[in-house]
């Protein structure tokens, strides 16, 4: 993530998303803001969390990944990520329904969620 999103901008974007029909910029900012909070909560390079097309972060202390596909990857869509990060949806439910693709022995990040923006 290139720049930090301020708390004010992040909360404004989340409010825009909660309105029901978010602008693309609100959706992108909300996703990136929540990824930023996750990276602050669990810094590291062991697990890559991807929310295409808006962002990705590496988290959790441990072996550093440098090239190719990381051994531990979590990928989900923007609305599922926001729901997980805000505690509106449970990890197990989203994973069982196929809205999360998680691979690797450290890819279950449910203990880090929800975030508290």
């Amino acid at each position: 993530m290139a720049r930090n999103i301020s708390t004010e901008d992040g909360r404004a974007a989340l409010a825009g998303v909660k309105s029901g029909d978010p602008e693309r910029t609100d959706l992108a900012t909300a996703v990136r803001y929540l990824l930023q909070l996750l990276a602050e909560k669990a810094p590291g390079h062991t697990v890559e969390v991807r929310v295409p097309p808006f962002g990705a972060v590496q988290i959790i202390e441990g072996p550093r990944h440098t090239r190719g596909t990381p051994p531990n990857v979590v990928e989900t869509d923007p609305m599922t990520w926001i729901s997980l990060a805000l505690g509106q949806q449970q990890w197990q439910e989203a994973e069982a329904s196929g809205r999360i693709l998680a691979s690797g022995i450290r890819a279950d990040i449910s203990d880090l969620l929800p975030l508290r923006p």
Side-chain angles (χ1 to χ4, degrees), residues 27-110:
L27 191 58
T29 300
V31 165
R32 291 176 184 136
Y33 176 63
L34 292 168
L35 286 172
Q36 174 183 303
L37 293 179
L38 179 64
E40 290 169 1
K41 184 176 185 176
H45 300 282
T46 301
V47 179
E48 185 166 292
V49 180
R50 300 173 180 169
V51 185
F54 299 123
V57 293
Q58 289 186 355
I59 60 168
I60 303 177
E61 295 281 338
R64 183 180 191 92
H65 164 73
T66 56
R67 294 189 332 181
T69 301
N72 300 287
V73 176
V74 174
E75 188 167 328
T76 190
D77 65 273
M79 290 307 294
T80 299
W81 167 243
I82 292 169
S83 295
L84 288 165
L86 297 178
Q88 298 166 340
Q89 184 172 32
Q90 297 301 310
W91 177 274
Q92 293 79 7
E93 173 191 327
E95 190 174 36
S97 65
R99 291 189 305 267
I100 296 174
L101 300 175
S103 64
I105 60 171
R106 299 184 76 185
D108 182 342
I109 61 167
S110 59

Side-chain angles (χ1 to χ4, degrees), residues 2-19:
R3 67 178 182 91
N4 281 337
I5 298 168
S6 70
T7 301
E8 181 179 306
D9 289 345
R11 288 183 177 170
L14 287 169
V17 169
K18 289 178 185 176
S19 72

